[in-house]
Amino acid sequence: MSVLPLSKAVSSLSDRLSQLFDHSQTAGILQLVEEVSLPPLMSWLAAQQQFPKIYWQGRDRYEEVAGVGSCLDLQFAEAVDDEKLLQFYQQQRSLPRTADVRFYGGVAFDRRLESWPEFGRARFLVPRIELRRCDDKGLLIVNLNLSAQPLSEQISSAQEALAALQAAQPLPPPIKTDVQTRVDIPDFARWSELVTEVTSPDFNRDTPKVVLSRQTKLQVAQTPDPWTVLACWQGRNPTSFQFGFQFSPERSFISCTPERLYRRQLNELVTEALAGTTVRGLTEEEDEQLAQQLLDDHKNSHENQFVGTHIESELRPLSAQVFADEPLKIFKLNHIQHLHRVIKARLRAEVSDFQLLQALHPTPAVGGFPKASALQYIASHEGYTRGWYAGACGFLSSQLSEFAVAIRSALLEPGCINLYAGAGILTGSDPVLEWQELENKLATIMSILVDF
């Protein structure tokens, strides 16, 4: 059977929808799929006029997804406790649906606190239309939510969404952004005060690590297209996760992040400790020397050990086995390199993705240790709303779920680009060196946006 081009696959799915009125399923998510020859997904997504828009590409580049619209949108804008979130989650799991229906979205860094408009403390959606590339196979998917409306109304909405699709257009070349002002929150003076406090013996005795972060607000004459920026970022750091959420034309959150929170395939889980940072060398010899210095550095190794030990302790109650004996390695990016340790687990049969999110997010790599006191300090001292920065973003499904930690990320708003970077602060941290680490972590996205 030949693979259809996208335009013909759209027509085929529309015809199939017209013949669906006597389908026996009456609740849950019904999914229709056509195998298809796909265009470049980022170019296709940028051309669409339907919202929300979502994009996901895994770090191994095996799979890539673009989606528009929604047939199910779960938003948690106000305070909601974990028991209520778990109730919503279990309710959705119990509804009949195709095995490969996915909920794409994210959880804010600290879901106890007010978050960004549109994004909320947590938000997950099933797109109306998805394009998925798995290895060399392309799929066009239409999702119908039979619990929301009668089948006839869902069919009509899906056909309208298919008819409104636009052909992919080449992304325009990136144009450097004209930055009118830059504001850092906290500024360097306040940053120095915070680092000094967190590294003091009295504080450090009870809370040995706090991950402090900074929001860099760039006021711009014209906000760049998020998908053009993300495509450039993807080109600079192809071994990272790339994802984006644009719930309306006004705001978009994009990320090109190296850090996996977890990947679960049935009951097999892979996660990692990614903490400890240095720059890349100008030559191969210098690069390897810097990597070895990072491996030998007590402060950075200690920081990575904090993260790994915490993850291991959180996984043990949820797992039949935990495998945490893999050696410490170097994970290289465009401008920086990290200490990296892989942790695996075989989960107990009854464990859900929501329990994994509860247990693993946020890790000490983005919050600190112990978690409760570190999060409390961040909430009361950092001076801005993290929102989905350092949050958990990805997708849930019955067979496969994957989440990344949004540490290299940007929130684009009208006239403003918000960039974020953090550094783990513990005994021996120097305010000047940690501030420079923030600059190093922003170097790639800044080189895309502005002239140095």
Side-chain angles (χ1 to χ4, degrees):
M1 179 179 174
S2 61
V3 177
L4 296 174
L6 181 57
S7 59
K8 291 189 177 180
V10 168
S11 297
S12 176
L13 266 184
S14 186
D15 290 342
R16 288 174 60 188
L17 284 165
S18 299
Q19 300 166 16
L20 199 64
F21 286 93
D22 60 349
H23 197 275
S24 59
Q25 185 174 327
T26 58
I29 304 294
L30 175 63
Q31 191 174 75
L32 301 182
V33 182
E34 287 277 355
E35 192 168 348
V36 65
S37 176
L38 292 175
L41 294 195
M42 202 91 75
S43 300
W44 177 84
L45 192 61
Q48 305 313 309
Q49 301 301 312
Q50 303 179 61
F51 295 90
K53 300 183 186 184
I54 65 100
Y55 178 84
W56 171 267
Q57 180 161 269
R59 195 172 66 189
D60 56 11
R61 302 180 71 81
Y62 174 76
E63 185 173 62
E64 184 185 20
V65 180
V68 296
S70 68
C71 76
L72 176 63
D73 193 344
L74 302 173
Q75 302 182 45
F76 303 94
E78 304 301 326
V80 56
D81 62 32
D82 279 354
E83 287 304 314
K84 191 170 183 181
L85 278 173
L86 178 59
Q87 182 182 352
F88 273 108
Y89 178 82
Q90 299 290 16
Q91 180 184 11
Q92 292 304 319
R93 287 183 77 195
S94 68
L95 293 173
R97 66 174 190 261
T98 309
D100 207 19
V101 170
R102 292 182 181 180
F103 295 74
Y104 297 92
V107 177
F109 167 73
D110 190 340
R111 58 185 176 272
R112 302 170 305 170
L113 306 177
E114 185 176 356
S115 187
W116 303 332
E118 301 174 16
F119 292 84
R121 302 169 196 233
R123 186 170 181 177
F124 288 91
L125 62 86
V126 178
R128 174 66 74 191
I129 297 170
E130 289 179 65
L131 298 185
R132 288 190 203 166
R133 188 193 315 278
C134 301
D135 203 3
D136 293 327
K137 184 178 180 181
L139 301 175
L140 168 64
I141 300 168
V142 171
N143 295 302
L144 307 177
N145 182 3
L146 305 185
S147 299
Q149 293 174 311
L151 177 59
S152 60
E153 293 182 31
Q154 281 288 298
I155 290 172
S156 177
S157 296
Q159 288 179 322
E160 289 176 8
L162 286 170
L165 293 179
Q166 304 294 312
Q169 301 293 329
L171 288 172
I175 299 173
K176 297 296 184 181
T177 306
D178 182 18
V179 178
Q180 298 170 334
T181 61
R182 168 177 168 166
V183 176
D184 292 317
I185 307 170
D187 61 17
F188 179 69
R190 177 59 175 159
W191 172 265
S192 298
E193 292 174 1
L194 295 177
V195 172
T196 300
E197 182 174 10
V198 168
T199 55
S200 67
D202 287 345
F203 185 95
N204 206 251
R205 189 179 302 113
D206 297 321
T207 308
K209 178 182 178 182
V210 175
V211 181
L212 295 176
S213 71
R214 184 186 74 192
Q215 177 186 35
T216 297
K217 297 176 69 71
L218 306 177
Q219 298 294 331
V220 295
Q222 184 174 1
T223 306
D225 176 71
W227 310 112
T228 300
V229 175
L230 185 56
C232 293
W233 213 348
Q234 186 178 66
R236 305 285 180 91
N237 280 327
T239 57
S240 289
F241 293 92
Q242 293 98 27
F243 56 85
F245 296 93
Q246 189 174 20
F247 295 116
S248 76
E250 284 71 42
R251 289 182 183 84
S252 52
F253 180 61
I254 58 175
S255 180
C256 186
T257 178
E259 185 170 355
R260 169 180 281 140
L261 182 64
Y262 74 85
R263 177 183 175 90
R264 177 197 58 78
Q265 190 155 17
L266 297 177
N267 69 333
E268 299 294 326
L269 178 133
V270 178
T271 182
E272 62 194 24
L274 191 78
T277 306
T278 191
V279 295
R280 297 294 303 271
L282 297 177
T283 65
E284 184 175 345
E285 181 181 2
E286 183 187 18
D287 198 53
E288 291 308 311
Q289 184 180 21
L290 287 166
Q292 190 60 50
Q293 288 174 355
L294 182 60
L295 286 166
D296 296 338
D297 181 75
H298 175 73
K299 183 259 182 187
N300 282 289
S301 297
H302 190 48
E303 182 180 353
N304 190 279
Q305 188 64 42
F306 263 129
V307 177
T309 300
H310 170 80
I311 292 171
E312 188 179 348
S313 66
E314 293 288 344
L315 282 177
R316 289 206 179 279
L318 306 175
S319 306
Q321 289 179 289
V322 177
F323 310 94
D325 54 356
E326 295 204 16
L328 198 60
K329 295 182 179 179
I330 296 292
F331 190 94
K332 294 180 182 289
L333 295 167
N334 188 260
H335 284 92
I336 58 177
Q337 43 194 332
H338 296 288
L339 291 178
H340 176 255
R341 189 192 309 271
V342 174
I343 300 166
K344 298 179 181 179
R346 184 167 295 117
L347 300 170
R348 299 202 318 262
E350 71 276 12
V351 171
S352 73
D353 284 294
F354 187 79
Q355 289 171 283
L356 293 173
L357 287 171
Q358 281 182 302
L360 296 178
H361 172 68
T363 74
V366 294
F369 185 83
K371 181 189 289 189
S373 59
L375 294 189
Q376 183 57 46
Y377 186 84
I378 289 166
S380 58
H381 289 80
E382 214 166 46
Y384 76 95
T385 300
R386 283 197 183 188
W388 282 26
Y389 161 64
C393 296
F395 65 88
L396 303 160
S397 75
S398 58
Q399 296 183 11
L400 175 67
S401 298
E402 186 163 31
F403 282 85
V405 183
I407 52 173
R408 304 291 133 72
S409 54
L411 174 67
L412 280 64
E413 301 178 290
C416 185
I417 303 170
N418 303 277
L419 305 177
Y420 305 92
I425 309 302
L426 33 73
T427 299
S429 293
D430 178 88
V432 175
L433 296 179
E434 301 296 349
W435 185 266
Q436 184 57 51
E437 182 174 317
L438 304 183
E439 295 296 309
N440 294 339
K441 288 176 176 177
L442 291 184
T444 298
I445 184 62
M446 290 292 281
S447 69
I448 293 169
L449 292 171
V450 301
D451 285 317
F452 281 99

